[in-house]
Amino acid sequence: MSRIASVLLPMPLPEAFDYAEPDGMGLELGDQVAAPLGPRLLRGVVVGLREAAGGNRPLKPVEGILEEHRLPPNTVEFIQWAARYAVDAPGSPLAIALRGARAPKPRPVRVTEVTGIEPARPTPARLKVLEIARGQTLSPPDLARAAGVSSGVVKALLDEGVLAVRLVDSEARFDDPDPGRPGAKLNASQAAAAEALKSMLGEGGFNVALLDGVTGSGKTEVYLEAAAAVLAADPAAQVLILLPEIALTQAVIARVASRFGAQPGEWHSDVAPPARRRVWEAVANGRCRIVVGARSALFLPFPNLKLIVVDEEHDASFKQEEGFIYHARDLAVVRGRIEGAGVVLASATPSLETLRNAEAGRYRWLRLSTRHGVAQLPDIELIDLRETPPEHGRWLSPPLVTAMGETFARGEQTLLFLNRRGYAPLVLCKACG
């Protein structure tokens, strides 16, 4: 019996549309398909399948299955949940999820291959080129560099037909991370927090922990140890690290690469579309096991997501305020529940919502109270201008002037922040404050 496919289109439409499944097509949940909408053919995703018995109207058939990766069922469920929670059209979060799939493909690259024809003059340089060409797939310039010869040697072999050039699809390499690689040396507080996270993740299933540590306490090293435990336990596990600002990604990527000996996937709006497509496809087929990205990385099609880290979870940048409106921190917790994954919320100044959940016992609360290494927290002192007002004609209080003089005498520097100087919307009485 034929079936009806509910196809969700990445457009601000209120619901998925029903289409007839042609005989023998064999649609599955999450398939990307070409579906007719009026005179156009559009990309859509199958979000439901049911038997066609009892249908009371003819339906347009699905045109075909696209040669694209299928969205995992958990990703489809997450997209639909996010739309209901935001009271928005389900096609809006789908458009975010398909952003990488709809990006242009990278241009094919030229690579050399050995044809089997022997060179007319087997010089040492030519033999060296052929030896490397048999073991590696390289472009002509890269082949010349690898062999340590001039480009003319490679060109001569191409002209003779000893080597041939073919076009291949460009594919980003994502080496498997090495969780056994030694990480940073942890202090006692970090080690205790890391062990608590490993224990939580070892239980399996959905759990949330708040990693509450003062600035400089080494929260990154702690959650990287938790990620190592997840990657070691499951050779197909994937980890997502969410950051509030694009500017933070390079520093965190460098630390992830140093810890695991492999470059993670990078996902944010400054990544070029072809590179974004490579990351999207690598995530979908499980080749990319660690992703570091901004809030939209939450919608990537992870088939085996086991850990989500929301770094600086208090940051307001996690809230998307245009188009499809959502808070990535909150949706990260939901995606963790749908995936059965662990979630770590890390911050030196946790948000009130997260603190409340930790106090109520819904989240595990792990505290790092000391700074990592030799760094010390600064002494903070408040100056009451009613008690020590500035001298006449000056605007800095005497204690501050004295402290600045002492700092200058030590050869150190002072930084003053002026809050909207010249634009103060109110005037305070010096007598009562």
Side-chain angles (χ1 to χ4, degrees):
M1 181 178 292
S2 60
R3 296 186 299 176
I4 294 174
S6 294
V7 177
L8 187 59
L9 303 173
M11 301 171 67
L13 299 170
E15 59 186 354
F17 290 174
D18 285 347
Y19 293 89
E21 178 190 19
D23 291 338
M25 182 169 284
L27 290 174
E28 293 188 36
L29 187 69
D31 276 338
Q32 295 190 54
V33 298
L37 184 67
R40 297 179 296 167
L41 275 180
L42 300 177
R43 178 196 300 262
V45 173
V46 177
V47 297
L49 290 164
R50 65 182 189 275
E51 297 300 331
N56 58 1
R57 67 188 190 281
L59 297 174
K60 291 183 178 180
V62 172
E63 188 70 21
I65 301 176
L66 301 179
E67 294 184 1
E68 301 279 3
H69 289 284
R70 180 182 299 129
L71 266 61
N74 285 342
T75 302
V76 174
E77 182 182 348
F78 172 67
I79 289 168
Q80 293 176 306
W81 191 98
R84 291 193 302 270
Y85 183 73
V87 195
D88 205 336
S92 297
L94 178 64
I96 301 174
L98 293 180
R99 191 172 292 161
R102 296 194 291 177
K105 289 186 176 182
R107 293 180 179 178
V109 295
R110 300 170 71 243
V111 298
T112 55
E113 60 182 5
V114 178
T115 62
I117 299 175
E118 294 297 324
R121 291 186 301 109
T123 63
R126 290 184 166 198
L127 293 177
K128 179 68 172 176
V129 169
L130 291 177
E131 179 185 353
I132 293 177
R134 289 189 182 99
Q136 301 182 53
T137 303
L138 300 171
S139 66
D142 290 341
L143 179 58
R145 280 191 290 269
V149 302
S150 68
S151 58
V153 176
V154 176
K155 184 177 183 303
L157 291 172
L158 289 169
D159 292 341
E160 289 183 19
V162 179
L163 294 177
V165 171
R166 62 186 175 91
L167 295 176
V168 298
D169 290 335
S170 174
E171 186 176 86
R173 282 190 57 191
F174 291 98
D175 296 329
D176 273 343
D178 179 10
R181 190 182 175 96
K185 186 177 181 180
L186 306 181
N187 60 31
S189 179
Q190 288 176 303
E195 287 303 317
L197 285 179
K198 291 177 185 178
S199 175
M200 180 189 84
L201 296 168
E203 296 172 4
F206 169 61
N207 280 295
V208 185
L210 166 61
L211 186 57
D212 179 4
V214 297
T215 303
S217 58
K219 296 182 290 295
T220 303
E221 285 80 8
V222 172
Y223 68 64
L224 288 182
E225 290 306 307
V230 167
L231 296 170
D234 183 349
Q238 293 174 299
V239 174
L240 171 61
I241 301 174
L242 290 179
L243 302 171
E245 298 287 349
I246 295 172
L248 298 174
T249 55
Q250 295 307 316
V252 175
I253 283 173
R255 295 174 77 170
V256 171
S258 174
R259 173 63 181 83
F260 297 107
Q263 199 76 1
E266 182 178 358
W267 185 271
H268 51 74
S269 58
D270 277 359
V271 176
R276 200 179 301 162
R277 184 184 181 98
R278 282 196 290 259
V279 173
W280 193 94
E281 292 177 343
V283 168
N285 61 28
R287 287 190 299 110
C288 182
R289 297 183 60 199
I290 305 177
V291 175
V292 175
R295 56 182 177 248
S296 61
L298 197 59
F299 292 87
L300 285 170
F302 292 96
N304 195 28
L305 186 58
K306 294 299 182 184
L307 174 64
I308 303 173
V309 177
V310 185
D311 206 349
E312 306 294 346
E313 64 86 24
H314 63 276
D315 200 296
S317 299
F318 278 122
K319 186 170 184 180
Q320 169 70 30
E321 297 186 298
E322 297 176 356
F324 179 66
I325 297 173
Y326 65 96
H327 201 304
R329 179 203 61 215
D330 298 340
L331 289 192
V333 174
V334 174
R335 176 130 203 197
R337 178 182 59 78
I338 292 173
E339 299 281 352
V343 181
V344 176
L345 308 177
S347 176
T349 54
S351 62
L352 294 178
E353 304 96 316
T354 301
L355 275 177
R356 179 57 186 152
N357 282 322
E359 290 173 349
R362 287 188 285 271
Y363 298 169
R364 302 192 187 194
W365 197 350
L366 308 176
R367 295 181 177 89
L368 300 176
S369 57
T370 58
R371 278 189 157 186
H372 181 65
V374 297
Q376 298 292 325
L377 286 172
D379 294 327
I380 298 175
E381 185 176 336
L382 299 178
I383 298 176
D384 191 335
L385 293 179
R386 294 172 299 177
E387 297 179 2
T388 55
E391 296 176 5
H392 182 70
R394 305 187 68 176
W395 53 279
L396 295 179
S397 66
L400 180 57
V401 173
T402 301
M404 291 172 63
E406 294 171 351
T407 301
F408 181 77
R410 292 194 299 268
E412 299 173 349
Q413 295 170 301
T414 297
L415 181 62
L416 299 179
F417 286 97
L418 307 181
N419 184 26
R420 294 171 59 85
R421 182 168 177 250
Y423 297 92
L426 56 92
V427 176
L428 290 179
C429 173
K430 291 185 179 179
C432 68

